[in-house]
Amino acid sequence: MNIRKTAITIGVLSLTVGTGLYISSATEKNIDTKAEIKAKTDSQEALARKKVEELNSKVASGEEKVLSQSAVFPDVNKEEAFQEADIVIKGKVESINKEYMENTDIPFTDFNFNVEEYWKSDLKEEENNSIKQLVVTQDGNSELNFNEHPLMEVNKEYILFLKRVLNNNNEEKLIMIAGPNGKFNLNENFIDQSIDTQSVNGETADEFIEDSSQGEVNEPIAEIITK
Amino acid sequence: MKKIVLGLIVTTSLFTGINSVSAHNLPNAGSESKGWKYVGSHWPSTSTKYFEATTDTWESRFKSGASKFRSESGSKFSISEVSVGNTQNFIENYSSSSATWVARRTVYSVSNDHPARWRIQFNSAKSANSWTTVAAHEIGHVFGLDDLYEGYNNKKLMYGYDSGVRYMQSSDKAGFNYIY
């Protein structure tokens, strides 16, 4: 009888210890698997970063060329553009200040823009009357531009809706609100867009800006008198 | 003799078929009024691969766009993720506050209308009305369709502005049918 009891006790104990050992090993295995997955993911990310650097360096060295690009721009109408803008101006491109790429192949051009009229401004009142030229940044450059957002041309007149941002080098830039939606070509003081998404072609500059401000502004807040 | 002739016919037709796929130049076609335009280059086949060089958030946004594109095209196209080393196409996000675009598609080294590789880049400094639609739209460029800008096209997948959720329509499909 005692022998039987002892045998049962040993059996139960063995089963308990065995189950415990199994659970413990399975848990350890699970932890190992998680660690393995994390390590694998980290190494995949590092490989991806390395590959992107390698491909970018081919472009930077000229070994490989970007042949075309296209982009989706925010859908912003003229009223939203006026609302969002820090500065709304009418004026003329004097010259190209500089062309450059960010992160290998993100193209930009900085233009020297001669202001004729300020319609909205975050500058001080005296600055609106004295700052005759602003540096305006546009997406694209002579190497790589966007079909839907052609680069501004020297000596041509535009109405611009501009916003101040800090770029990745911590430099302040004045960019167009929503790219092509913040730049309007003028031809003898009439709006003349090659892609007229808002049906504004033929409006005078004053009418157009007044409509954009929803009637709030009906004349420039400052005009630059050029001698 | 009959067998030899038949064999020659089959072999010739096979090679002709292969050539028409590998050298697939297309004239410019489509227009705003047709609701689709050929962008001038297209991926050589209806199947493409990419690796991801981005965070889970952007990867998930892209995958959602790829899934939308695939299902709305009736599974005509395949866009699949592979590990680095198996392709040179990739998706990434980059934060550029001075760039005004929300997403960009770039192609490199075109031969016979066929790019050697493509990249889709999301601008994480910006917000979009529908990242899923933006991603599906960029895939549309990879497969050869250009942007549309006329207001009457603003519900189409290939409308060039981020106007919110849009779906592939019969005109978008007509464009893809022209290419493939």
Side-chain angles (χ1 to χ4, degrees):
Chain A
M1 191 64 180
N2 276 344
I3 293 169
R4 203 175 160 192
K5 265 187 181 173
T6 311
I8 290 169
T9 311
I10 289 169
V12 169
L13 276 173
S14 306
L15 198 63
T16 312
V17 171
T19 310
L21 281 173
Y22 174 78
I23 290 168
S24 157
S25 112
T27 311
E28 270 175 32
K29 208 173 179 179
N30 198 21
I31 289 165
D32 283 351
T33 312
K34 275 184 184 168
E36 277 167 19
I37 289 170
K38 193 181 176 309
K40 204 174 167 185
T41 309
D42 288 348
S43 88
Q44 280 291 316
E45 278 174 13
L47 273 174
R49 276 196 301 274
K50 200 176 159 197
K51 186 72 183 172
V52 168
E53 276 168 25
E54 182 192 314
L55 292 168
N56 282 350
S57 70
K58 280 187 181 177
V59 176
S61 69
E63 191 185 329
E64 197 176 32
K65 281 220 172 299
V66 175
L67 286 155
S68 87
Q69 62 168 357
S70 52
V72 175
F73 289 94
D75 193 20
V76 169
N77 62 32
K78 60 184 198 275
E79 291 84 6
E80 290 164 330
F82 189 94
Q83 190 77 26
E84 205 184 314
D86 294 318
I87 294 178
V88 177
I89 47 176
K90 182 183 132 185
K92 196 180 270 183
V93 176
E94 187 200 73
S95 57
I96 289 172
N97 182 299
K98 65 172 173 174
E99 296 187 298
Y100 53 100
M101 296 283 190
E102 192 179 293
N103 189 38
T104 310
D105 62 1
I106 298 180
F108 292 99
T109 302
D110 287 352
F111 292 94
N112 295 319
F113 192 87
N114 288 340
V115 184
E116 293 161 4
E117 296 172 0
Y118 284 93
W119 284 78
K120 182 179 180 183
S121 174
D122 61 354
L123 298 166
K124 289 174 191 154
E125 200 178 329
E126 60 271 23
E127 288 176 329
N128 288 331
N129 291 310
S130 62
I131 297 182
K132 298 174 182 175
Q133 190 172 83
L134 295 171
V135 176
V136 173
T137 300
Q138 183 180 351
D139 298 283
N141 58 32
S142 56
E143 203 179 320
L144 199 57
N145 58 26
F146 297 90
N147 287 338
E148 63 273 45
H149 191 24
L151 289 172
M152 291 198 292
E153 292 175 49
V154 172
N155 283 328
K156 291 263 172 89
E157 245 188 332
Y158 299 88
I159 290 170
L160 301 177
F161 297 77
L162 302 169
K163 189 176 181 62
R164 288 180 199 281
V165 295
L166 283 178
N167 74 3
N168 291 351
N169 296 324
N170 224 25
E171 300 160 329
E172 190 179 88
K173 296 283 179 185
L174 271 175
I175 62 166
M176 297 163 191
I177 303 271
N181 292 315
K183 179 192 76 186
F184 293 85
N185 302 25
L186 284 174
N187 184 4
E188 294 183 354
N189 211 39
F190 288 93
I191 304 283
D192 182 20
Q193 294 284 81
S194 55
I195 301 168
D196 185 22
T197 48
Q198 297 187 59
S199 305
V200 291
N201 276 352
E203 289 183 17
T204 66
D206 292 13
E207 277 169 1
F208 170 74
I209 303 176
E210 190 178 340
D211 283 355
S212 306
S213 75
Q214 300 183 76
E216 274 183 32
V217 183
N218 51 28
E219 59 181 20
I221 54 171
E223 288 183 63
I224 304 296
I225 312 294
T226 47
K227 288 176 186 172
Chain B
M1 186 63 183
K2 270 185 184 174
K3 279 184 183 171
I4 295 169
V5 172
L6 192 67
L8 278 171
I9 291 169
V10 170
T11 315
T12 311
S13 61
L14 270 174
F15 275 105
T16 312
I18 289 165
N19 282 341
S20 72
V21 172
S22 61
H24 186 201
N25 282 336
L26 287 170
N28 278 335
S31 61
E32 287 275 351
S33 60
K34 283 187 175 170
W36 66 271
K37 284 198 294 183
Y38 178 48
V39 78
S41 69
H42 60 279
W43 194 246
S45 75
T46 53
S47 172
T48 192
K49 294 171 181 169
Y50 68 94
F51 71 87
E52 60 91 6
T54 184
T55 61
D56 289 350
T57 305
W58 293 99
E59 188 187 353
S60 149
R61 285 170 175 167
F62 180 80
K63 282 185 171 166
S64 168
S67 165
K68 173 186 171 68
F69 190 89
R70 206 166 26 237
S71 70
E72 289 175 14
S73 73
S75 298
K76 178 176 178 137
F77 296 95
S78 156
I79 308 111
S80 46
E81 188 191 344
V82 292
S83 55
V84 185
N86 290 324
T87 181
Q88 293 199 321
N89 307 322
F90 67 95
I91 59 162
E92 69 171 348
N93 69 291
Y94 179 77
S95 175
S96 176
S97 51
S98 47
T100 60
W101 44 266
V102 294
R104 187 169 78 121
R105 178 260 355 176
T106 323
V107 295
Y108 304 81
S109 310
V110 174
S111 162
N112 292 324
D113 276 16
H114 295 158
R117 68 178 178 100
W118 57 261
R119 174 188 62 189
I120 290 174
Q121 204 168 33
F122 296 102
N123 188 353
S124 45
K126 308 288 167 185
S127 59
N129 286 316
S130 168
W131 284 114
T132 299
T133 299
V134 166
H137 171 99
E138 292 305 321
I139 294 167
H141 285 313
V142 170
F143 289 116
L145 288 191
D146 203 354
D147 288 309
L148 299 168
Y149 296 105
E150 290 292 346
Y152 55 77
N153 282 323
N154 68 359
K155 301 285 181 220
K156 297 191 168 77
L157 181 65
M158 295 316 292
Y159 186 60
Y161 294 109
D162 168 37
S163 59
V165 178
R166 301 187 303 278
Y167 301 93
M168 196 183 291
Q169 297 184 7
S170 53
S171 56
D172 294 298
K173 288 179 187 173
F176 292 124
N177 286 341
Y178 166 76
I179 300 162
Y180 300 98

